[in-house]
Amino acid sequence: MARINDVGGMQGFGPIDTTDDTEPFHADWEARVFALNRALVAGNVFNLDEFRDAVESMPPSDYLAASYYERWFHAIVALLEAKGVIEAGELDD
């Protein structure tokens, strides 16, 4: 079964922006999400396969509306809640 991230061959998403963007992060919070993910993987809280699955399991409307690092943050929160590291909804605010 295809997930929303698998859009190969689908139409209607518009042109791909191929602008060469040399900045890895466009806001400080994106760098923090990247670092948080690296620390959690290094600390064996979850692995990259679990992380990828969590990103790809986002509801389609949420996935399409989110930026790259918003998807990462969603996945991190979902995994931390699923593993009991944080309470469900603890980071909602």
Side-chain angles (χ1 to χ4, degrees):
M1 172 170 59
R3 294 180 174 181
I4 190 58
N5 65 299
D6 184 12
V7 295
M10 293 177 74
Q11 302 294 317
F13 288 98
I16 296 172
D17 181 3
T18 58
T19 305
D20 187 16
D21 187 357
T22 60
E23 296 297 321
F25 308 109
H26 297 100
D28 290 342
W29 71 267
E30 293 177 340
R32 290 186 188 106
V33 168
F34 180 86
L36 179 60
N37 187 54
R38 294 280 306 251
L40 292 167
V41 169
N44 295 314
V45 176
F46 54 79
N47 63 45
L48 288 177
D49 289 331
E50 291 172 307
F51 173 72
R52 187 193 74 242
D53 182 64
V55 169
E56 294 174 0
S57 295
M58 287 178 68
S61 59
D62 293 344
Y63 183 92
L64 292 173
S67 70
Y68 186 74
Y69 287 107
E70 286 172 334
R71 293 176 190 145
W72 279 41
F73 185 69
H74 172 90
I76 290 168
V77 171
L79 286 167
L80 292 178
E81 288 177 352
K83 292 177 176 287
V85 176
I86 61 174
E87 296 291 324
E90 187 174 336
L91 300 179
D92 284 352
D93 293 333

PDB file of all heavy atoms in Angstrom, residues 15-37:
ATOM      1  N   PRO A  15       5.127  22.058 -10.261  1.00  0.00           N
ATOM      2  CA  PRO A  15       6.541  21.873 -10.599  1.00  0.00           C
ATOM      3  C   PRO A  15       7.410  21.732  -9.352  1.00  0.00           C
ATOM      4  O   PRO A  15       7.071  22.208  -8.273  1.00  0.00           O
ATOM      5  CB  PRO A  15       6.900  23.151 -11.357  1.00  0.00           C
ATOM      6  CG  PRO A  15       5.923  24.167 -10.859  1.00  0.00           C
ATOM      7  CD  PRO A  15       4.657  23.413 -10.544  1.00  0.00           C
ATOM      8  N   ILE A  16       8.516  21.063  -9.525  1.00  0.00           N
ATOM      9  CA  ILE A  16       9.500  20.903  -8.455  1.00  0.00           C
ATOM     10  C   ILE A  16      10.406  22.122  -8.452  1.00  0.00           C
ATOM     11  O   ILE A  16      10.921  22.528  -9.497  1.00  0.00           O
ATOM     12  CB  ILE A  16      10.331  19.623  -8.654  1.00  0.00           C
ATOM     13  CG1 ILE A  16       9.417  18.413  -8.562  1.00  0.00           C
ATOM     14  CG2 ILE A  16      11.462  19.535  -7.647  1.00  0.00           C
ATOM     15  CD1 ILE A  16      10.089  17.107  -8.932  1.00  0.00           C
ATOM     16  N   ASP A  17      10.597  22.706  -7.291  1.00  0.00           N
ATOM     17  CA  ASP A  17      11.487  23.859  -7.156  1.00  0.00           C
ATOM     18  C   ASP A  17      12.918  23.339  -7.120  1.00  0.00           C
ATOM     19  O   ASP A  17      13.319  22.661  -6.178  1.00  0.00           O
ATOM     20  CB  ASP A  17      11.173  24.629  -5.875  1.00  0.00           C
ATOM     21  CG  ASP A  17      12.046  25.862  -5.692  1.00  0.00           C
ATOM     22  OD1 ASP A  17      12.873  26.167  -6.578  1.00  0.00           O
ATOM     23  OD2 ASP A  17      11.901  26.503  -4.640  1.00  0.00           O
ATOM     24  N   THR A  18      13.672  23.635  -8.134  1.00  0.00           N
ATOM     25  CA  THR A  18      15.051  23.160  -8.213  1.00  0.00           C
ATOM     26  C   THR A  18      16.068  24.250  -7.885  1.00  0.00           C
ATOM     27  O   THR A  18      17.240  24.114  -8.188  1.00  0.00           O
ATOM     28  CB  THR A  18      15.344  22.603  -9.622  1.00  0.00           C
ATOM     29  OG1 THR A  18      15.111  23.634 -10.590  1.00  0.00           O
ATOM     30  CG2 THR A  18      14.481  21.400  -9.931  1.00  0.00           C
ATOM     31  N   THR A  19      15.605  25.313  -7.232  1.00  0.00           N
ATOM     32  CA  THR A  19      16.501  26.378  -6.814  1.00  0.00           C
ATOM     33  C   THR A  19      17.572  25.807  -5.906  1.00  0.00           C
ATOM     34  O   THR A  19      17.273  25.039  -4.988  1.00  0.00           O
ATOM     35  CB  THR A  19      15.722  27.477  -6.052  1.00  0.00           C
ATOM     36  OG1 THR A  19      14.653  27.926  -6.858  1.00  0.00           O
ATOM     37  CG2 THR A  19      16.631  28.629  -5.681  1.00  0.00           C
ATOM     38  N   ASP A  20      18.820  26.167  -6.172  1.00  0.00           N
ATOM     39  CA  ASP A  20      19.925  25.691  -5.349  1.00  0.00           C
ATOM     40  C   ASP A  20      19.914  26.453  -4.027  1.00  0.00           C
ATOM     41  O   ASP A  20      20.262  27.623  -3.975  1.00  0.00           O
ATOM     42  CB  ASP A  20      21.255  25.876  -6.070  1.00  0.00           C
ATOM     43  CG  ASP A  20      22.415  25.244  -5.323  1.00  0.00           C
ATOM     44  OD1 ASP A  20      22.175  24.412  -4.427  1.00  0.00           O
ATOM     45  OD2 ASP A  20      23.572  25.586  -5.634  1.00  0.00           O
ATOM     46  N   ASP A  21      19.505  25.771  -2.976  1.00  0.00           N
ATOM     47  CA  ASP A  21      19.406  26.393  -1.653  1.00  0.00           C
ATOM     48  C   ASP A  21      20.569  25.877  -0.804  1.00  0.00           C
ATOM     49  O   ASP A  21      20.595  24.713  -0.427  1.00  0.00           O
ATOM     50  CB  ASP A  21      18.060  26.026  -1.023  1.00  0.00           C
ATOM     51  CG  ASP A  21      17.799  26.768   0.262  1.00  0.00           C
ATOM     52  OD1 ASP A  21      18.666  27.536   0.714  1.00  0.00           O
ATOM     53  OD2 ASP A  21      16.708  26.577   0.825  1.00  0.00           O
ATOM     54  N   THR A  22      21.503  26.737  -0.496  1.00  0.00           N
ATOM     55  CA  THR A  22      22.700  26.309   0.227  1.00  0.00           C
ATOM     56  C   THR A  22      22.523  26.275   1.738  1.00  0.00           C
ATOM     57  O   THR A  22      23.384  25.774   2.446  1.00  0.00           O
ATOM     58  CB  THR A  22      23.892  27.216  -0.119  1.00  0.00           C
ATOM     59  OG1 THR A  22      23.569  28.559   0.245  1.00  0.00           O
ATOM     60  CG2 THR A  22      24.209  27.146  -1.607  1.00  0.00           C
ATOM     61  N   GLU A  23      21.418  26.809   2.237  1.00  0.00           N
ATOM     62  CA  GLU A  23      21.194  26.839   3.683  1.00  0.00           C
ATOM     63  C   GLU A  23      20.522  25.536   4.140  1.00  0.00           C
ATOM     64  O   GLU A  23      19.448  25.203   3.667  1.00  0.00           O
ATOM     65  CB  GLU A  23      20.298  28.024   4.063  1.00  0.00           C
ATOM     66  CG  GLU A  23      20.909  29.374   3.772  1.00  0.00           C
ATOM     67  CD  GLU A  23      22.165  29.632   4.577  1.00  0.00           C
ATOM     68  OE1 GLU A  23      22.205  29.244   5.763  1.00  0.00           O
ATOM     69  OE2 GLU A  23      23.101  30.207   4.027  1.00  0.00           O
ATOM     70  N   PRO A  24      21.154  24.806   5.054  1.00  0.00           N
ATOM     71  CA  PRO A  24      20.530  23.563   5.515  1.00  0.00           C
ATOM     72  C   PRO A  24      19.316  23.814   6.410  1.00  0.00           C
ATOM     73  O   PRO A  24      18.408  22.991   6.477  1.00  0.00           O
ATOM     74  CB  PRO A  24      21.641  22.867   6.292  1.00  0.00           C
ATOM     75  CG  PRO A  24      22.554  23.973   6.719  1.00  0.00           C
ATOM     76  CD  PRO A  24      22.454  25.029   5.661  1.00  0.00           C
ATOM     77  N   PHE A  25      19.289  24.932   7.088  1.00  0.00           N
ATOM     78  CA  PHE A  25      18.187  25.275   7.988  1.00  0.00           C
ATOM     79  C   PHE A  25      17.751  26.701   7.707  1.00  0.00           C
ATOM     80  O   PHE A  25      18.571  27.573   7.485  1.00  0.00           O
ATOM     81  CB  PHE A  25      18.612  25.148   9.456  1.00  0.00           C
ATOM     82  CG  PHE A  25      19.236  23.819   9.775  1.00  0.00           C
ATOM     83  CD1 PHE A  25      20.591  23.721  10.041  1.00  0.00           C
ATOM     84  CD2 PHE A  25      18.483  22.664   9.808  1.00  0.00           C
ATOM     85  CE1 PHE A  25      21.186  22.504  10.321  1.00  0.00           C
ATOM     86  CE2 PHE A  25      19.053  21.437  10.084  1.00  0.00           C
ATOM     87  CZ  PHE A  25      20.412  21.353  10.341  1.00  0.00           C
ATOM     88  N   HIS A  26      16.440  26.918   7.750  1.00  0.00           N
ATOM     89  CA  HIS A  26      15.909  28.253   7.487  1.00  0.00           C
ATOM     90  C   HIS A  26      15.456  28.945   8.762  1.00  0.00           C
ATOM     91  O   HIS A  26      15.074  30.108   8.730  1.00  0.00           O
ATOM     92  CB  HIS A  26      14.778  28.167   6.477  1.00  0.00           C
ATOM     93  CG  HIS A  26      15.251  27.645   5.159  1.00  0.00           C
ATOM     94  ND1 HIS A  26      15.084  26.333   4.771  1.00  0.00           N
ATOM     95  CD2 HIS A  26      15.937  28.246   4.161  1.00  0.00           C
ATOM     96  CE1 HIS A  26      15.634  26.154   3.586  1.00  0.00           C
ATOM     97  NE2 HIS A  26      16.163  27.293   3.197  1.00  0.00           N
ATOM     98  N   ALA A  27      15.494  28.224   9.863  1.00  0.00           N
ATOM     99  CA  ALA A  27      15.137  28.782  11.170  1.00  0.00           C
ATOM    100  C   ALA A  27      15.880  27.985  12.237  1.00  0.00           C
ATOM    101  O   ALA A  27      16.218  26.810  12.026  1.00  0.00           O
ATOM    102  CB  ALA A  27      13.634  28.704  11.400  1.00  0.00           C
ATOM    103  N   ASP A  28      16.124  28.615  13.373  1.00  0.00           N
ATOM    104  CA  ASP A  28      16.852  27.947  14.458  1.00  0.00           C
ATOM    105  C   ASP A  28      16.168  26.672  14.925  1.00  0.00           C
ATOM    106  O   ASP A  28      16.823  25.683  15.253  1.00  0.00           O
ATOM    107  CB  ASP A  28      17.031  28.885  15.649  1.00  0.00           C
ATOM    108  CG  ASP A  28      18.015  30.010  15.369  1.00  0.00           C
ATOM    109  OD1 ASP A  28      18.814  29.886  14.413  1.00  0.00           O
ATOM    110  OD2 ASP A  28      17.988  31.008  16.117  1.00  0.00           O
ATOM    111  N   TRP A  29      14.822  26.667  14.952  1.00  0.00           N
ATOM    112  CA  TRP A  29      14.112  25.489  15.446  1.00  0.00           C
ATOM    113  C   TRP A  29      14.366  24.280  14.563  1.00  0.00           C
ATOM    114  O   TRP A  29      14.363  23.142  15.048  1.00  0.00           O
ATOM    115  CB  TRP A  29      12.606  25.761  15.598  1.00  0.00           C
ATOM    116  CG  TRP A  29      11.860  25.894  14.304  1.00  0.00           C
ATOM    117  CD1 TRP A  29      11.601  27.034  13.621  1.00  0.00           C
ATOM    118  CD2 TRP A  29      11.290  24.824  13.549  1.00  0.00           C
ATOM    119  NE1 TRP A  29      10.901  26.753  12.479  1.00  0.00           N
ATOM    120  CE2 TRP A  29      10.691  25.398  12.405  1.00  0.00           C
ATOM    121  CE3 TRP A  29      11.224  23.447  13.715  1.00  0.00           C
ATOM    122  CZ2 TRP A  29      10.038  24.638  11.437  1.00  0.00           C
ATOM    123  CZ3 TRP A  29      10.572  22.687  12.753  1.00  0.00           C
ATOM    124  CH2 TRP A  29       9.986  23.275  11.623  1.00  0.00           C
ATOM    125  N   GLU A  30      14.599  24.478  13.261  1.00  0.00           N
ATOM    126  CA  GLU A  30      14.877  23.353  12.381  1.00  0.00           C
ATOM    127  C   GLU A  30      16.189  22.676  12.765  1.00  0.00           C
ATOM    128  O   GLU A  30      16.272  21.438  12.799  1.00  0.00           O
ATOM    129  CB  GLU A  30      14.933  23.818  10.923  1.00  0.00           C
ATOM    130  CG  GLU A  30      13.609  24.287  10.386  1.00  0.00           C
ATOM    131  CD  GLU A  30      13.693  24.809   8.964  1.00  0.00           C
ATOM    132  OE1 GLU A  30      14.803  25.164   8.502  1.00  0.00           O
ATOM    133  OE2 GLU A  30      12.640  24.863   8.321  1.00  0.00           O
ATOM    134  N   ALA A  31      17.199  23.458  13.072  1.00  0.00           N
ATOM    135  CA  ALA A  31      18.481  22.897  13.506  1.00  0.00           C
ATOM    136  C   ALA A  31      18.313  22.141  14.819  1.00  0.00           C
ATOM    137  O   ALA A  31      18.937  21.089  15.032  1.00  0.00           O
ATOM    138  CB  ALA A  31      19.519  24.006  13.658  1.00  0.00           C
ATOM    139  N   ARG A  32      17.468  22.640  15.696  1.00  0.00           N
ATOM    140  CA  ARG A  32      17.225  21.966  16.976  1.00  0.00           C
ATOM    141  C   ARG A  32      16.512  20.630  16.773  1.00  0.00           C
ATOM    142  O   ARG A  32      16.839  19.634  17.433  1.00  0.00           O
ATOM    143  CB  ARG A  32      16.419  22.864  17.902  1.00  0.00           C
ATOM    144  CG  ARG A  32      17.215  24.050  18.403  1.00  0.00           C
ATOM    145  CD  ARG A  32      16.428  24.849  19.441  1.00  0.00           C
ATOM    146  NE  ARG A  32      17.129  26.062  19.750  1.00  0.00           N
ATOM    147  CZ  ARG A  32      16.761  27.271  19.340  1.00  0.00           C
ATOM    148  NH1 ARG A  32      15.668  27.423  18.614  1.00  0.00           N
ATOM    149  NH2 ARG A  32      17.469  28.331  19.668  1.00  0.00           N
ATOM    150  N   VAL A  33      15.554  20.594  15.864  1.00  0.00           N
ATOM    151  CA  VAL A  33      14.854  19.334  15.568  1.00  0.00           C
ATOM    152  C   VAL A  33      15.837  18.324  14.983  1.00  0.00           C
ATOM    153  O   VAL A  33      15.832  17.148  15.357  1.00  0.00           O
ATOM    154  CB  VAL A  33      13.657  19.573  14.625  1.00  0.00           C
ATOM    155  CG1 VAL A  33      13.102  18.265  14.072  1.00  0.00           C
ATOM    156  CG2 VAL A  33      12.567  20.346  15.351  1.00  0.00           C
ATOM    157  N   PHE A  34      16.706  18.779  14.084  1.00  0.00           N
ATOM    158  CA  PHE A  34      17.727  17.906  13.502  1.00  0.00           C
ATOM    159  C   PHE A  34      18.622  17.331  14.603  1.00  0.00           C
ATOM    160  O   PHE A  34      18.863  16.123  14.663  1.00  0.00           O
ATOM    161  CB  PHE A  34      18.560  18.688  12.483  1.00  0.00           C
ATOM    162  CG  PHE A  34      19.632  17.881  11.838  1.00  0.00           C
ATOM    163  CD1 PHE A  34      19.373  17.118  10.714  1.00  0.00           C
ATOM    164  CD2 PHE A  34      20.926  17.873  12.358  1.00  0.00           C
ATOM    165  CE1 PHE A  34      20.373  16.357  10.118  1.00  0.00           C
ATOM    166  CE2 PHE A  34      21.927  17.127  11.771  1.00  0.00           C
ATOM    167  CZ  PHE A  34      21.654  16.360  10.641  1.00  0.00           C
ATOM    168  N   ALA A  35      19.109  18.202  15.486  1.00  0.00           N
ATOM    169  CA  ALA A  35      19.998  17.770  16.573  1.00  0.00           C
ATOM    170  C   ALA A  35      19.278  16.842  17.552  1.00  0.00           C
ATOM    171  O   ALA A  35      19.856  15.853  18.018  1.00  0.00           O
ATOM    172  CB  ALA A  35      20.551  18.984  17.313  1.00  0.00           C
ATOM    173  N   LEU A  36      18.023  17.139  17.842  1.00  0.00           N
ATOM    174  CA  LEU A  36      17.241  16.291  18.739  1.00  0.00           C
ATOM    175  C   LEU A  36      17.091  14.898  18.157  1.00  0.00           C
ATOM    176  O   LEU A  36      17.276  13.890  18.861  1.00  0.00           O
ATOM    177  CB  LEU A  36      15.867  16.927  18.979  1.00  0.00           C
ATOM    178  CG  LEU A  36      14.902  16.161  19.878  1.00  0.00           C
ATOM    179  CD1 LEU A  36      15.484  15.967  21.270  1.00  0.00           C
ATOM    180  CD2 LEU A  36      13.572  16.893  19.941  1.00  0.00           C
ATOM    181  N   ASN A  37      16.799  14.823  16.882  1.00  0.00           N
ATOM    182  CA  ASN A  37      16.666  13.518  16.230  1.00  0.00           C
ATOM    183  C   ASN A  37      17.984  12.743  16.298  1.00  0.00           C
ATOM    184  O   ASN A  37      17.996  11.552  16.621  1.00  0.00           O
ATOM    185  CB  ASN A  37      16.217  13.691  14.784  1.00  0.00           C
ATOM    186  CG  ASN A  37      15.913  12.361  14.138  1.00  0.00           C
ATOM    187  OD1 ASN A  37      15.118  11.576  14.649  1.00  0.00           O
ATOM    188  ND2 ASN A  37      16.541  12.106  13.011  1.00  0.00           N
TER     189      ASN A  37
END
